[in-house]
């Protein structure tokens, strides 16, 4: 590029300077020649006139007296003058000439006295070649008499022409040399004051790498040009570079930072991870990646609004920043997912400490506009080089481990292990099959009776979901969590609700008052339209609301922010019952329990299985439920001793294998409504 510029600017400028100088010089030379020609012509004409004046008197005397001697004298003195080539004197203007003198041999009568000039000489001086004057008697007073002769002077045209051509040539050559010198001088001046500093400036510009962010390279004006146009030009370029730097920084910020939390975004995190792995390879240390996902974030967003959701994310980002070392990287992958990159790992224990520190820091209560939140997260950990060769693999492993942490409950971390990949693959396969199952209507409801322990009279049923496959029925324990994670639980749950209500309304006609219990997942509760769906199921089936009980799990109820009780209250307002399922397995706080709009408690099977040996918890829960005015259902009653104890304690309802396993609707209907003995159970 430099050569190109040199060629184009310096050479073109030199060519232009020389051409301009030559053209101007040529014009001047032509003018000079014109003027010199005019001057030479004047000189020649004057010479002829002078000679005529000088010789006129003596020539008249010689002609009058026919004095040959005098004529010869006149001829000799005239020819002694260089520019005169001939002189002629005649006795009368008309008669042939009498005395003729010449300097060259070519003079003849037909070519009287004029030596042949060159073409140029003839062109310029041709009309001046001959001067003529009539001669009169040499009287002192005037020339009244007729002429007595004629005088002719011939100029030496060859000589004058040769002189003239030599002059023209020297003028042209001199002019040319002068013009060339002038052009050269101009080129040198241009080069020194323009091209050279421009080239220096161009070289300096070339030194500035625009993507070099560490070094703030700037132009210096070429020496001696600090205060002229070039100095100002480099100043302007520097200003532009400053502005370019600023906008580049802004663009980089936009492209690499998460606008909500100002943490590095996914693109920058990937870049940093690659960088960290490359460096770790050189220094022989490990790198850990912590994939963190907030627990129940969607719920906060849905119930408290996106603005508070955003503020929760910002608060989490701030806590993460304060908890981690300067050398660790923390960024937001999107949504409620964060990524932490820990470098220089020599022992996995260090990473576990980081995960614990993060979880503890997050768990501190947070007040957002009067809403008390207790953020928690699940963290999946993967290590380089143990779990994968590159950043992509490491990230995938951490993601898988995060799912394992989620499955283990909120606020946990899990290290990646190879089996997890197997589980993740199985999970993906289940998800795909679940979607197909929904389309192919492979879901079915089984019903388990709820009875009075005293007389085993039927009081209701719990609808339990089954997935009908070629190889038999699949229990919800094996697929419900996948349906939850993928959101498939919403359409499936809606169908369960409709079907259970429809069935309950049918059986009610036979059985009279009959309560149908339906399990509801946390994800369904997070759906603001859920009460409308319940309402629709009731009105379409014609089932009175009081005969429907929604079962929620303890953990769901406890983890709900205050806003969620609003959802439960809306459901209560519809007139449906709300039972807390598996009571005693979660972390219910008793103070919370008072505030949740419940109608029933279901004592978890785990506490019933120890009865009648260990009754402490079962008895306490029964007592608690009674004091809170809640109905109690004992789950998982498997033997007669348990039933008797429950009867003795005054527990109003129970369900369990003692009475029946969950069974298909037709079997339930035949056995429990029509009294046909139970042959088999599901
Ligand atoms: P759950 O609501 O606590 O249901 C009771 C579970 O205990 C049922 O398992 C039932 O078959 C089992 N069971 C009942 N009596 C006995 C007994 O005497 N001994 C033993 N060992 N087990 C007994 P199932 O049907 O496999 O359901 C498991 C869980 O799946 C349910 O627990 C419920 O949380 C969930 N689930 C079932 N259907 C649905 C549904 O339609 N929607 C949602 N969201 N969850 C459902
Ligand atoms: Mg249940
Ligand atoms: Mg249960």
């Amino acid at each position: 590029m430099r050569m190109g510029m040199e060629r184009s600017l310096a050479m073109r400028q030199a060519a232009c300077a020389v051409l301009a100088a030559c053209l101007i010089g040529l014009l001047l030379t032509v003018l000079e020649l014109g003027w010199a020609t005019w001057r030479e012509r004047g000189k020649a004409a004057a010479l002829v006139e002078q000679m005529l004046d000088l010789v006129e008197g003596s020539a008249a005397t010689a002609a009058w007296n026919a004095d040959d001697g005098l004529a010869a004298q006149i001829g000799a003195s005239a020819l002694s003058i260089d520019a005169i080539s001939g002189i002629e004197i005649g006795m009368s203007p008309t008669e042939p000439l009498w005395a003729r003198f010449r300097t060259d041999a070519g003079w003849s009568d037909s070519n009287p006295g004029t030596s042949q000039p060159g073409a140029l000489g003839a062109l310029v001086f041709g009309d001046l070649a001959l001067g003529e004057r009539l001669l009169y008697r040499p009287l002192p007073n005037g020339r009244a008499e007729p002429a007595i002769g004629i005088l002719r002077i011939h100029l030496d045209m060859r000589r004058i022409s040769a002189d003239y051509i030599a002059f023209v040539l020297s003028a042209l050559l001199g002019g040319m040399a002068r013009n060339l010198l002038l052009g050269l001088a101009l080129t040198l001046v241009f080069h020194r004051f323009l091209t050279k500093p421009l080239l220096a400036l161009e070289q300096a510009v070339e030194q500035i790498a625009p993507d070099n962010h560490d070094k703030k390279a700037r132009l210096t004006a070429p020496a001696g040009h600090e205060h002229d146009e070039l100095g100002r030009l480099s100043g302007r370029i520097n200003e532009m570079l400053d502005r370019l730097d600023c906008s580049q920084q802004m663009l980089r910020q936009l492209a690499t930072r998460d606008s909500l939390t100002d943490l590095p975004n996914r693109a920058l995190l990937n870049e940093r991870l690659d960088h960290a792995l490359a460096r770790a390879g050189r220094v022989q240390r490990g790198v850990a990646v912590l994939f963190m996902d907030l627990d129940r974030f969607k719920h906060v967003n849905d119930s408290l609004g996106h603005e508070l959701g955003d503020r929760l994310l910002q608060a989490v980002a701030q806590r993460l920043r304060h908890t981690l070392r300067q050398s660790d990287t923390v960024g937001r992958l999107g949504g409620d997912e964060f990524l932490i990159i820990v470098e220089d790992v020599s022992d996995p224990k260090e990473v576990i400490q980081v995960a614990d520190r993060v979880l503890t820091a997050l768990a501190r209560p947070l007040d957002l506009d009067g809403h008390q939140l207790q953020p928690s997260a699940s963290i999946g950990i993967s290590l380089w080089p143990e779990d994968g060769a590159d950043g992509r693999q490491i990230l995938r492993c951490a993601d898988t481990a995060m799912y394992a942490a989620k499955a283990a409950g909120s606020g946990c971390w899990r290290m990646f292990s190879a089996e997890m990949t197997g589980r993740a693959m199985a999970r993906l396969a289940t998800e795909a099959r679940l979607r197909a199952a929904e389309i192919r209507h492979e879901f079915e409801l089984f019903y388990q009776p709820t009875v009075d322990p005293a007389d085993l009279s039927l009081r209701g049923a719990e609808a339990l979901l089954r997935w009908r496959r070629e190889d038999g029925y699949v229990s919800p324990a094996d697929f419900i969590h996948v349906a939850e994670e993928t959101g498939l639980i919403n359409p499936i749950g809606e169908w369960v609700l409709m079907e259970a209500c429809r069935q309950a309304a049918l059986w009610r006609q036979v059985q009279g008052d009959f309560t149908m219990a339906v399990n509801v997942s946390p994800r369904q509760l997070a759906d603001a339209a859920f009460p409308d769906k319940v309402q629709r199921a009731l009105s379409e089936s014609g089932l009175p609301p009081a005969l429907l009980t929604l079962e929620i799990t303890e953990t769901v109820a406890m983890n709900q922010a205050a806003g969620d009780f609003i959802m439960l209250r809306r459901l209560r307002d519809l007139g449906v019952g709300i039972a807390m399922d598996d009571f005693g397995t979660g972390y219910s706080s008793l103070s919370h329990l008072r505030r949740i709009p419940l109608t029933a408690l279901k004592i978890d099977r785990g506490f019933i299985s120890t009865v009648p040996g260990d009754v402490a918890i079962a008895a306490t829960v029964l007592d608690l439920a009674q004091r809170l005015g809640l109905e109690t259902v004992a789950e998982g009653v498997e033997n007669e001793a348990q039933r008797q104890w429950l009867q003795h304690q005054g527990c109003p309802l129970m369900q369990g294998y003692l009475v029946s396993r969950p069974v298909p609707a037709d079997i339930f209907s035949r056995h429990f409504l029509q009294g046909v003995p139970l042959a088999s159970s599901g």
Side-chain angles (χ1 to χ4, degrees), residues 412-450:
C412 289
W413 56 260
R414 282 289 176 273
M415 279 269 184
F416 174 76
S417 68
E419 304 90 73
M420 282 179 187
T421 320
R423 276 210 293 279
M425 299 297 284
R427 192 180 146 273
L428 276 178
T430 312
E431 182 185 334
R433 292 170 81 171
L434 267 183
R435 286 189 195 278
E438 209 226 322
I439 296 165
R440 289 194 228 121
H441 305 292
E442 288 176 356
F443 293 114
E444 206 174 293
L445 284 186
F446 275 28
Y447 299 90
Q448 187 177 39
T450 313

Side-chain angles (χ1 to χ4, degrees), residues 290-586:
L290 285 75
F291 196 114
M292 188 183 105
D293 186 287
L294 292 186
D295 297 327
R296 300 177 303 280
F297 175 71
K298 182 181 171 354
H299 180 74
V300 173
N301 245 351
D302 289 348
S303 53
L304 302 183
H306 288 259
E307 205 183 312
L308 279 192
D310 283 354
R311 284 176 48 199
L312 172 62
L313 289 173
Q314 285 168 334
V316 166
Q318 198 172 4
R319 287 184 179 184
L320 286 175
R321 259 194 297 254
H322 287 153
T323 313
L324 295 164
R325 294 178 305 179
Q326 199 75 40
S327 56
D328 301 331
T329 300
V330 58
R332 180 172 169 225
L333 288 171
D336 59 347
E337 292 176 347
F338 293 82
L339 193 81
I340 300 164
I341 303 169
V342 183
E343 295 189 53
D344 288 327
V345 176
S346 53
D347 185 343
K349 278 196 205 120
E350 298 166 12
V351 187
I352 292 171
Q353 279 169 6
V354 173
D356 281 335
R357 242 186 11 246
V358 166
L359 290 177
T360 316
L362 282 188
R364 288 202 317 271
L366 182 71
D367 186 304
L368 286 184
D369 284 357
H371 297 279
Q372 285 291 326
L373 300 184
Q374 185 149 15
S376 85
S378 305
I379 298 181
I381 305 171
S382 66
L383 297 170
W384 182 90
E386 290 85 345
D387 298 332
D390 59 26
R392 210 175 282 242
Q393 279 176 10
I394 294 290
L395 268 182
R396 213 181 303 129
C397 292
D399 189 12
T400 306
M402 193 278 294
Y403 273 102
K406 275 250 174 276
S410 64
C412 289
W413 56 260
R414 282 289 176 273
M415 279 269 184
F416 174 76
S417 68
E419 304 90 73
M420 282 179 187
T421 320
R423 276 210 293 279
M425 299 297 284
R427 192 180 146 273
L428 276 178
T430 312
E431 182 185 334
R433 292 170 81 171
L434 267 183
R435 286 189 195 278
E438 209 226 322
I439 296 165
R440 289 194 228 121
H441 305 292
E442 288 176 356
F443 293 114
E444 206 174 293
L445 284 186
F446 275 28
Y447 299 90
Q448 187 177 39
T450 313
V451 299
D452 183 339
D455 56 4
L456 298 186
S457 57
L458 184 69
R459 294 303 175 83
E462 179 177 3
L464 291 158
L465 185 61
R466 293 290 178 272
W467 179 4
R468 193 181 58 245
R469 291 232 302 252
E470 287 148 11
D471 48 349
Y473 285 103
V474 184
S475 156
D478 296 328
F479 66 84
I480 217 100
H481 60 282
V482 180
E484 287 253 1
E485 283 164 20
T486 53
L488 271 173
I489 194 69
N490 283 323
I492 297 174
E494 208 174 322
W495 173 81
V496 169
L497 198 62
M498 284 285 194
E499 179 60 18
C501 287
R502 189 191 63 79
Q503 189 65 71
L506 276 180
W507 286 339
R508 181 179 165 242
Q509 291 167 9
V510 186
Q511 181 67 22
D513 272 359
F514 179 93
T515 314
M516 179 60 80
V518 173
N519 294 285
V520 174
S521 99
R523 226 162 152 159
Q524 286 173 281
L525 282 180
D527 174 11
F530 183 62
D532 301 334
K533 291 173 181 170
V534 174
Q535 178 62 62
R536 209 171 67 230
L538 289 171
S539 50
E540 281 183 16
S541 62
L543 186 72
L547 299 186
L548 177 67
T549 297
L550 301 176
E551 294 190 4
I552 60 168
T553 63
E554 195 179 2
T555 28
V556 172
M558 286 305 138
N559 285 330
Q560 309 303 317
D564 235 36
F565 298 148
I566 294 173
M567 163 63 80
L568 295 179
R569 269 191 212 105
R570 280 177 66 195
L571 292 170
R572 276 295 292 131
D573 290 346
L574 292 177
V576 302
I578 295 175
M580 186 179 282
D581 209 349
D582 308 335
F583 182 71
T585 52

